[in-house]
Amino acid sequence: AVYTGTTGFTPSRLSAAVVAGRTTKAELLAAFGPTKSVRFDSGYEAWVYQSPAGGGRFSEFVVLVDPSGVVSKTRTRAPSTP
């Protein structure tokens, strides 16, 4: 499912709060709300949180959630053009 997330966060806030191997999907939802996500046949999910960076650009914080519901990896992407 794909959701439109809120923008009440920054990538630095997310990276400080989300710990690979420890943070759960439930904790992500409670802290930052639903966002755009893709579920793969393997059971993994990729969640993308976007934060406005001005000029129509967005920073992104990407979270890979494993089938057991625990964050596996994270990545921050610098602002890109629309």
Side-chain angles (χ1 to χ4, degrees):
V2 175
Y3 301 99
T4 303
T6 60
T7 57
F9 65 89
T10 62
S12 60
R13 182 174 162 224
L14 278 162
S15 62
V18 179
V19 178
R22 191 169 70 201
T23 304
T24 66
K25 184 164 71 168
E27 291 169 334
L28 272 177
L29 282 171
F32 303 105
T35 190
K36 297 176 184 176
S37 65
V38 176
R39 181 179 197 103
F40 299 97
D41 290 340
S42 63
Y44 280 84
E45 296 178 48
W47 292 23
V48 179
Y49 288 92
Q50 293 183 320
S51 179
R57 301 178 317 141
F58 293 87
S59 296
E60 291 184 339
F61 186 76
V62 182
V63 180
L64 183 65
V65 179
D66 72 21
S68 69
V70 177
V71 172
S72 174
K73 292 183 181 180
T74 65
R75 180 185 315 181
T76 301
R77 287 201 298 196
S80 59
T81 54

